[in-house]
Amino acid sequence: MARPRGRLRPVAAAEEVEELTTLGADGRVLFSTRAARLFGYGLISVVLVLYLSSLGLSGGEIGLLLTLTLVGDTVISLWLTTHADRLGRRRVLLFGSLLMLGAGLVFAWGPPFVLLVAAAIVGVISPSGNEVGPFLAVEQASLSEIVATARRTDVFARYNLTGSLATALGALAGGGGARALELSGMAPVDGYRAVVVGYAAVGIVLAALFTRLSPAVEAPRATDASVATRLGLHRSRSVVLQLAALFSIDAFAGGFVIQSVVAYWFVVRFGASSDVLGAIFFGANVLAGFSALVAAAISRRVGLLRTMVYTHVPSNLLLILVPVMPTLPLAVAVLLARFAISQMDVPARQAYTMALVAPDERSGAAGVTGVARTLGAAISPSLAVPLVAGVTLAGLPFVISGVLKLVYDGLVFLRFRDVPVEGEAPR
């Protein structure tokens, strides 16, 4: 019987479980590196602004430093990810882990400010709790080599769940650990510094894990050696650049409410302690992680693009409501409700990007769109931190973010609603 047009083939549960449990050694390594890295990002994101403030940096200096971490990451990651398929994906991933280690050590050392700026530009530091550096783009491309097209969204959903749970545990460990050290008699700045040292140690763990990847994760050789590439792209360059431009709008909006900024807002608005912040973001990231699992089921019914948009709109409306909540419990409840649906678009977006390009363009496509997101998010923290610090307009970053994200949803749907996608029937 021919399958109905307008929807994807249903997937048997047994087939899904079998596919996900037979990723092989490389798949297990990539899931492990995702977990280790996001644990580190969650660890530092809760305390980073508090740490920099305790070092004596002003709100403007902190905002500038957060922006520079993302700007520097943009430049380095763009070059690494767009050359990864030729340099070797394993080499790029190993180099990225060393950049993470170096940045963590310099930040733990502390001032002078010029050294922090240098580490922010050259190294890999995540003030948001989200992915930075070349890792995500290269790992997505690597997973695409070992996973069938029909299973890609499912695997990306679990890959994102792994990261969200790891971020949640990292946030809990970072906030709770810093608070425990403070209660034991350690100065707050030294407790925060200990967390930053733990972040640097994650770089060592990553380096060890990446050495275990096999050549199977590398890009296939181009079938036509004469094909000209730029940014690691050829036939899909125009589509990828359009996606990148739209993704940068979403990321610019998201930069107003990165995890470090939201944590700072909870301190300014409600006087929340670091252990409370750790608990808040533990819950938020757990909910976000499980929300990603729903994306695969939704995308099989409505398609990847509609999954990206339809799940994003209510999330953005909830984001706008957070700062108008009068009490800490209500603000936390709305934020958690937002996180419960906030990541449904992520695996769909990743699978959508991979489906639109050729296999030997995947690292480049993921890199260009990922760097566009990083660049888009680079400016907004420097605008958000002074607003939060000023108290009077502390809630404005949430409103700006939510409105801009709604604009992005409309634009991406209008531009790509008629573009055919690998593995999907016409709609």
Side-chain angles (χ1 to χ4, degrees):
M1 180 183 295
R3 68 178 181 180
R5 293 177 63 84
R7 64 172 17 180
L8 297 182
R9 178 179 62 86
V11 180
E15 179 186 353
E16 180 174 337
V17 171
E18 180 182 3
E19 179 68 33
L20 294 170
T21 55
T22 55
L23 283 174
D26 287 329
R28 290 190 291 273
V29 168
L30 291 170
F31 270 64
S32 298
T33 55
R34 169 78 168 174
R37 186 170 63 256
L38 271 293
F39 177 86
Y41 292 165
L43 193 72
I44 198 172
S45 65
V46 172
V47 304
L48 182 58
V49 172
L50 303 177
Y51 172 59
L52 295 173
S53 179
S54 68
L55 291 176
L57 274 65
S58 67
E61 288 175 326
I62 294 172
L64 174 62
L65 201 58
L66 296 184
T67 291
L68 290 175
T69 64
L70 298 173
V71 170
D73 174 73
T74 298
V75 175
I76 293 174
S77 295
L78 179 61
W79 193 90
L80 288 174
T81 54
T82 56
H83 289 77
D85 288 350
R86 294 189 294 279
L87 294 175
R89 292 171 178 170
R90 290 171 295 170
R91 289 193 184 97
V92 168
L93 291 169
L94 181 60
F95 184 65
S97 66
L98 298 179
L99 292 178
M100 182 176 177
L101 169 63
L105 291 176
V106 173
F107 267 70
W109 183 271
F113 185 67
V114 66
L115 288 182
L116 294 176
V117 169
I121 294 174
V122 177
V124 173
I125 288 280
S126 175
S128 63
N130 297 324
E131 284 279 13
V132 294
F135 304 108
L136 180 61
V138 181
E139 286 186 353
Q140 283 178 30
S142 299
L143 279 170
S144 295
E145 299 301 332
I146 59 177
V147 174
T149 299
R151 298 267 56 80
R152 197 176 290 149
T153 307
D154 297 277
V155 172
F156 280 171
R158 283 152 180 80
Y159 175 78
N160 283 283
L161 171 62
T162 299
S164 292
L165 293 179
T167 304
L169 291 172
L172 189 65
R179 180 63 172 168
L181 291 173
E182 182 181 350
L183 292 175
S184 70
M186 184 177 290
V189 65
D190 292 327
Y192 301 145
R193 181 177 285 111
V195 173
V196 177
V197 171
Y199 172 83
V202 173
I204 299 175
V205 175
L206 284 180
L209 288 170
F210 285 134
T211 61
R212 300 176 63 85
L213 288 173
S214 79
V217 303
E218 300 292 355
R221 292 185 178 275
T223 55
D224 183 357
S226 66
V227 172
T229 64
R230 184 179 302 167
L231 300 176
L233 305 169
H234 42 88
R235 68 172 176 83
S236 307
R237 187 182 304 135
S238 175
V239 168
V240 171
L241 291 178
Q242 291 176 60
L243 277 175
L246 290 168
F247 289 171
S248 69
I249 297 173
D250 180 45
F252 175 73
F256 282 93
V257 288
I258 59 175
Q259 196 155 289
S260 293
V261 172
V262 176
Y264 189 38
W265 180 79
F266 275 114
V267 173
V268 171
R269 179 70 176 83
F270 299 109
S273 61
S274 61
D275 56 336
V276 170
L277 294 175
I280 291 171
F281 289 107
F282 172 79
N285 283 288
V286 168
L287 289 172
F290 281 104
S291 77
L293 290 180
V294 184
I298 296 176
S299 67
R300 283 194 289 270
R301 292 181 175 275
V302 304
L304 293 171
L305 179 64
R306 287 170 174 79
T307 301
M308 290 163 55
V309 174
Y310 293 173
T311 63
H312 212 219
V313 170
S315 169
N316 299 330
L317 295 175
L318 287 169
L319 182 63
I320 295 171
L321 291 176
V322 171
V324 303
M325 294 297 105
T327 65
L328 176 62
L330 285 174
V332 171
V334 174
L335 183 72
L336 292 180
R338 187 253 175 175
F339 270 92
I341 56 176
S342 67
Q343 295 299 298
M344 291 181 186
D345 70 305
V346 175
R349 185 182 70 234
Q350 294 167 347
Y352 188 74
T353 303
M354 295 295 99
L356 290 181
V357 303
D360 62 331
E361 295 180 292
R362 284 172 179 158
S363 288
V368 169
T369 55
V371 165
R373 292 186 61 82
T374 302
L375 184 60
I379 301 171
S380 32
S382 64
L383 304 174
V385 173
L387 287 173
V388 174
V391 181
T392 303
L393 300 176
L396 193 56
F398 293 88
V399 178
I400 295 173
S401 179
V403 171
L404 287 177
K405 281 176 172 288
L406 289 171
V407 171
Y408 153 78
D409 290 329
L411 291 175
V412 75
F413 183 75
L414 290 174
R415 169 59 186 86
F416 288 96
R417 60 182 175 179
D418 297 322
V419 175
V421 178
E422 176 192 18
E424 289 187 5
R427 296 178 187 282

